[in-house]
Amino acid sequence: MDQLLEKVKFDEKGLVGAIVQDHATREVLMFAWMNRESLGLTLRERRAWYWSRSRGKLWLKGETSGHTQKIHDIRLDCDGDALLLLVEQHGGACHTGFRSCFYRAERNGEWTEDGEKIFSSEQVYGR
Amino acid sequence: MDQLLEKVKFDEKGLVGAIVQDHATREVLMFAWMNRESLGLTLRERRAWYWSRSRGKLWLKGETSGHTQKIHDIRLDCDGDALLLLVEQHGGACHTGFRSCFYRAERNGEWTEDGEKIFSSEQVYGR
C-alpha cells in the first residue's frame, strides 16, 4: 500500500485529481479529488472514496444515493499527479441525475445538454 | 465563444483541468490544464492547446512531436470546473512514448506498466 502511495504526487493541498471512467462502456463519468487517506481507503476497500474540497471531509461515493463505484482498476499517469479509476457504476455518477457529470457539450457556441438522465435528484437526495 | 468561457469555473490560479479521451476507442489519454486563453484557442482552432504549469506558458499539443489532437467534442461537467475533450490523437499522447499517459496500473500492490508503447521518446524529442 505504502509503495503505491509514495509514487503519487499530491499537490500543495495534499490532493490528487481522479478521473472516473465506466470500466465497461468507457464513458468518463466524473472528476473528483483524493487525499492520501481517501486513496488508501479506495485501494483497501475497492470502492471509491474522495475528498470533498467544499465540505472539507472524506466522502464515500454512493453513501447517500446508493450509487456506489466498485473499483476494477486504478491507473497512475506518467507524472504521478493524476489517477484514472475504472469502476462499475451503480446508478448515476452525477448528483444531477445524469449518468455522467459531463452531460453538457459544446454545440454551436453554447453548452447544450447531451446526456442520459437516469434518476431524479429530488427523489434520491430529497432536494 | 464568450458564452462558453463564462460558464467555466477557472480556479484561483486561472486554470481548469481537462481530461483527454480518444473519441474512437474511448481510451483516456492524458490530463492537462487549460487557462482561459488556451481554451479559447482550442475552441477556435479545434486542436488542443494547454497551459504548462511547470513552464508557465501555453503549449500546442504536438508542436514538437507532431502528435497533435484534433478536437471532436468538448464537454463540461456539472460544476463547470472540469472539461472533457474527445480527440483524434495522432501518434501518442504521452511524452514517454506510450499512447496514453495512464500506462501504469495497480497490480498486487505495485504500479506496473500496462500500456501500448508506440514511439521512441528519444527519436521524437531527442532526449
Side-chain angles (χ1 to χ4, degrees), chain A residues 1 3-5 7-8 11-13 17 19-21 25-28 30-31 33 39 43 46 53 72-84 94-96 100-107 109-112 114-115, chain B residues 1 3-5 7-8 11-13 17 19-21 25-28 30-31 33 39 43 46 53 72-84 94-96 100-107 109-112 114-115:
Chain A
M1 174 76 80
Q3 208 167 340
L4 290 168
L5 292 172
K7 296 281 189 192
V8 179
D11 69 12
E12 68 279 6
K13 293 175 185 160
I19 300 161
V20 187
Q21 184 178 30
T25 66
R26 303 193 125 194
E27 184 179 21
V28 174
M30 54 183 270
F31 178 77
W33 294 92
L39 177 54
L43 286 164
R46 312 305 288 182
R53 295 180 305 169
H72 276 244
D73 204 5
I74 301 186
R75 306 180 75 93
L76 182 65
D77 82 345
C78 51
D79 297 324
D81 62 0
L83 293 165
L84 174 62
C94 189
H95 70 286
T96 59
S100 164
C101 292
F102 294 93
Y103 60 85
R104 291 184 288 179
E106 185 272 320
R107 298 283 179 268
E110 287 180 26
W111 296 116
T112 304
D114 170 35
Chain B
M1 173 77 82
Q3 208 168 339
L4 290 169
L5 292 172
K7 296 280 189 192
V8 178
D11 68 13
E12 68 280 3
K13 293 175 184 159
I19 301 160
V20 187
Q21 184 178 29
T25 66
R26 303 194 124 194
E27 185 179 21
V28 174
M30 55 184 270
F31 179 77
W33 294 91
L39 178 54
L43 286 164
R46 312 303 290 182
R53 296 181 302 170
H72 276 245
D73 203 6
I74 302 187
R75 307 179 75 93
L76 182 64
D77 81 345
C78 51
D79 298 325
D81 62 0
L83 293 164
L84 174 62
C94 189
H95 71 286
T96 58
S100 163
C101 292
F102 294 93
Y103 60 83
R104 291 183 287 180
E106 184 273 321
R107 297 283 178 269
E110 286 180 27
W111 297 115
T112 304
D114 170 36

Side-chain angles (χ1 to χ4, degrees), chain A residues 4-117:
Chain A
L4 290 168
L5 292 172
E6 77 189 13
K7 296 281 189 192
V8 179
K9 287 187 199 138
F10 295 94
D11 69 12
E12 68 279 6
K13 293 175 185 160
L15 302 177
V16 63
I19 300 161
V20 187
Q21 184 178 30
D22 186 297
H23 83 104
T25 66
R26 303 193 125 194
E27 184 179 21
V28 174
L29 299 172
M30 54 183 270
F31 178 77
W33 294 92
M34 288 185 163
N35 64 1
R36 193 178 168 94
E37 188 180 358
S38 64
L39 177 54
L41 284 165
T42 301
L43 286 164
R44 195 155 48 235
E45 299 184 2
R46 312 305 288 182
R47 54 185 186 159
W49 282 86
Y50 301 104
W51 176 257
S52 168
R53 295 180 305 169
S54 57
R55 288 176 287 154
K57 63 173 202 169
L58 292 172
W59 60 287
L60 172 64
K61 174 68 185 163
E63 193 165 28
T64 306
S65 63
H67 298 163
T68 52
Q69 291 171 343
K70 185 177 166 189
I71 304 294
H72 276 244
D73 204 5
I74 301 186
R75 306 180 75 93
L76 182 65
D77 82 345
C78 51
D79 297 324
D81 62 0
L83 293 165
L84 174 62
L85 313 184
L86 285 106
V87 305
E88 187 179 325
Q89 174 70 59
H90 296 276
C94 189
H95 70 286
T96 59
F98 285 94
R99 180 156 174 82
S100 164
C101 292
F102 294 93
Y103 60 85
R104 291 184 288 179
E106 185 272 320
R107 298 283 179 268
N108 304 311
E110 287 180 26
W111 296 116
T112 304
E113 278 192 11
D114 170 35
E116 188 192 357
K117 195 143 192 174

Side-chain angles (χ1 to χ4, degrees), chain B residues 18-82:
Chain B
I19 301 160
V20 187
Q21 184 178 29
D22 186 297
H23 83 104
T25 66
R26 303 194 124 194
E27 185 179 21
V28 174
L29 299 171
M30 55 184 270
F31 179 77
W33 294 91
M34 289 185 161
N35 64 1
R36 193 179 168 95
E37 188 181 358
S38 65
L39 178 54
L41 284 165
T42 301
L43 286 164
R44 195 154 50 236
E45 300 184 2
R46 312 303 290 182
R47 53 185 188 159
W49 283 87
Y50 301 104
W51 176 258
S52 169
R53 296 181 302 170
S54 56
R55 289 175 288 153
K57 65 173 203 169
L58 291 172
W59 60 286
L60 173 63
K61 174 66 186 164
E63 193 163 29
T64 305
S65 63
H67 298 164
T68 51
Q69 292 171 343
K70 184 177 166 190
I71 305 293
H72 276 245
D73 203 6
I74 302 187
R75 307 179 75 93
L76 182 64
D77 81 345
C78 51
D79 298 325
D81 62 0

